[in-house]
Amino acid sequence: MPDRFIPVSFEEFCHGLDIIQADIKQEDKQFVYSVYSYTVEGISEFSETNLLTNLQSINHLEIIGYCVGEFAYLTELFDDERKASFKNNENTIVTISSMVADKYLSLNNFSFNQNALANRFSPQISTLYVYINFMLNIVQRKWNQKDSTFTLLSDLFMKSISICKCTLDLLVRGFNTEAFSCWRTLHECECVLSILSQHGEPVIKAYLKHMNFGFAFRDAMPNKDEQTKIFMAMKEEMKQYNLKSKDIKKYIEYGWLYSVPTVKDNENFKLNFRDGLESVAGLGNYSKRYEMSSEIIHGTPLLVYSSPEYFYFVTLLSTYESFFRLENLFKLAYSRSVEEEELKNYLEMRNVYFNHLVNIHQRESERFNRWQKAQREMAKK
């Protein structure tokens, strides 16, 4: 048996549990270790078949994670007596290890491949991954304030940056149209963040008030008297703008924009995304991309019969552009909320990576232009 297919020692196994932060009781570790060992031995035997002649190594931490997950899920509702009986059953180890081996081999060696145009090692993906991961850690661990308006901004940043990562995850799996739909949500978030960041507390309070309008409309508030009071206040506000009951949903979603000073002078303003949120955010030049993503979401033929290359490039470039705007807003907000030393650390990291990201965006834009030119030339033939 090759060394790479030999189970690690129990001590190394326990260290692996610490690395993956597995929630497992001390008295269960030896049993799960037995499952892990049996799984590795089974994979080793299977690797000698024709199906897995190219299997060169295995990821022990991943196998340990699967073992812990299966055991924890199967015994989640067991009392001590039933768990002991389960562990003493001679077929249990075989059953769990078989499931773990199936999942590990299937998802690592026979995984469905969408012919992705990039992978997680590609610089256009990995560089942005690194920056996103750095920002997510800042928001989650350090950027924590008790003020509700500030919390709203940090929560929106957290969600927006997470969506950036989710979009990249879909791209590296080859799900380009799905990734483009994900960018659509990212674009909505950046529009909200742009407006809230620019106009500050009065607009943030209006946004929070409309969140409560939404809770009241959906009958989601525990205090029904307070819910009725909020709902009636919303209907009174709507009268100021000559809105009817049919406009309730639009007012809940976009009515907070009336608190933006420039809206009252905007004759083209409407309670919708394109002529409301996107326009007020100054991102109307993305309206056509947004409309195209809506077609995909609503299951038009564009979803099924689409060019993987086209949607890969459009999604990647759109995500980069949204990220650049979000990062700029983040930098401004972060610089006002942390100590000088923390800001210095962030700016040092930014100096290393941001210009690199800008250069990557430029290079990918040029690649996209070359691809489009080639497509046009092919169409003429």
Side-chain angles (χ1 to χ4, degrees):
M1 184 187 301
D3 289 345
R4 59 183 177 273
F5 294 142
I6 295 176
V8 300
S9 68
F10 180 70
E11 182 180 1
E12 292 172 310
F13 169 82
C14 292
H15 181 58
L17 293 176
D18 293 336
I19 292 174
I20 64 174
Q21 299 180 329
D23 184 15
I24 181 171
K25 294 181 179 179
Q26 186 66 35
E27 61 266 26
D28 294 327
K29 289 182 178 180
Q30 187 61 57
F31 176 81
V32 177
Y33 176 70
S34 299
V35 174
Y36 153 77
S37 299
Y38 199 89
T39 302
V40 173
E41 291 168 4
I43 291 174
S44 176
E45 293 176 7
F46 197 53
S47 69
E48 298 174 3
T49 68
N50 291 332
L51 287 173
L52 284 176
T53 53
N54 294 324
L55 184 63
Q56 299 297 315
S57 62
I58 57 175
N59 186 326
H60 291 270
L61 283 178
E62 192 169 342
I63 293 173
I64 291 171
Y66 279 122
C67 291
V68 172
E70 292 292 336
F71 175 77
Y73 189 78
L74 289 170
T75 62
E76 181 181 15
L77 302 179
F78 289 0
D79 57 24
D80 291 342
E81 183 178 350
R82 190 176 178 189
K83 183 187 282 189
S85 176
F86 178 79
K87 289 161 63 175
N88 290 330
N89 187 320
E90 60 183 16
N91 294 321
T92 299
I93 291 178
V94 176
T95 300
I96 298 179
S97 65
S98 177
M99 289 190 290
V100 170
D102 283 346
K103 291 180 179 181
Y104 177 79
L105 292 174
S106 175
L107 297 177
N108 285 275
N109 295 278
F110 307 121
S111 183
F112 176 69
N113 187 350
Q114 279 279 82
N115 298 317
L117 298 172
N119 58 52
R120 63 190 181 92
F121 306 110
S122 305
Q124 64 268 39
I125 301 294
S126 59
T127 309
L128 188 51
Y129 261 146
V130 169
Y131 207 118
I132 286 172
N133 189 63
F134 185 72
M135 290 176 67
L136 285 172
N137 278 302
I138 287 176
V139 176
Q140 187 175 40
R141 298 176 186 176
K142 298 180 180 179
W143 202 10
N144 185 18
Q145 301 282 336
K146 293 183 178 180
D147 178 66
S148 62
T149 58
F150 192 89
T151 299
L152 172 65
L153 290 180
S154 62
D155 288 346
L156 280 170
F157 274 119
M158 187 75 177
K159 178 57 67 176
S160 301
I161 302 166
S162 297
I163 295 171
C164 278
K165 186 176 186 301
C166 180
T167 305
L168 295 179
D169 288 343
L170 289 169
L171 281 180
V172 299
R173 286 171 172 79
F175 298 114
N176 300 326
T177 51
E178 293 80 359
F180 189 48
S181 298
C182 196
W183 170 80
R184 179 182 188 269
T185 304
L186 173 63
H187 183 52
E188 293 170 346
C189 288
E190 70 164 320
C191 288
V192 173
L193 260 171
S194 176
I195 295 169
L196 296 183
S197 299
Q198 180 181 351
H199 296 284
E201 187 173 354
V203 180
I204 291 174
K205 286 184 175 179
Y207 184 87
L208 291 170
K209 181 175 68 174
H210 278 255
M211 283 181 62
N212 279 330
F213 287 165
F215 294 143
F217 178 73
R218 292 174 178 80
D219 192 24
M221 303 183 79
N223 187 327
K224 299 307 175 185
D225 290 336
E226 182 67 17
Q227 177 173 287
T228 300
K229 182 179 177 181
I230 290 173
F231 190 78
M232 296 308 296
M234 178 187 69
K235 296 191 75 171
E236 285 299 313
E237 282 191 16
M238 290 175 64
K239 291 179 182 178
Q240 300 176 26
Y241 305 106
N242 297 317
L243 298 173
K244 309 300 180 183
S245 295
K246 64 181 178 65
D247 301 313
I248 285 179
K249 289 185 178 180
K250 291 191 295 184
Y251 184 69
I252 290 172
E253 190 168 359
Y254 301 111
W256 60 275
L257 292 169
Y258 283 124
S259 64
V260 177
T262 55
V263 164
K264 62 181 179 181
D265 299 322
N266 186 349
E267 296 179 355
N268 298 318
F269 174 80
K270 295 179 182 178
L271 291 178
N272 60 32
F273 182 77
R274 187 184 68 178
D275 301 310
L277 184 61
E278 190 177 47
S279 175
V280 175
L283 295 172
N285 56 316
Y286 285 87
S287 61
K288 289 186 178 179
R289 288 191 194 180
Y290 185 84
E291 289 171 9
M292 185 164 55
S293 69
S294 297
E295 289 186 47
I296 290 173
I297 284 178
H298 295 120
T300 67
L302 187 63
L303 171 64
V304 182
Y305 301 107
S306 58
S307 165
E309 292 85 358
Y310 176 82
F311 281 102
Y312 165 78
F313 280 117
V314 168
T315 304
L316 182 69
L317 294 173
S318 298
T319 301
Y320 262 74
E321 290 155 20
S322 293
F323 177 80
F324 289 149
R325 290 186 289 271
L326 286 168
E327 197 278 339
N328 186 57
L329 294 173
F330 177 86
K331 179 171 68 73
L332 293 174
Y334 188 62
S335 64
R336 296 193 295 262
S337 63
V338 297
E339 299 295 330
E340 184 176 344
E341 187 62 28
E342 287 186 75
L343 179 61
K344 179 183 176 183
N345 292 336
Y346 179 79
L347 293 178
E348 286 177 353
M349 190 271 185
R350 189 179 194 273
N351 289 336
V352 172
Y353 281 98
F354 193 81
N355 286 337
H356 193 26
L357 288 172
V358 171
N359 291 333
I360 289 173
H361 175 265
Q362 178 63 34
R363 184 170 173 177
E364 294 304 302
S365 297
E366 292 169 356
R367 284 181 62 198
F368 184 34
N369 290 336
R370 290 195 298 270
W371 178 84
Q372 287 183 305
K373 182 179 179 180
Q375 295 300 114
R376 289 192 295 267
E377 291 176 352
M378 287 178 59
K380 292 178 182 178
K381 295 179 180 179

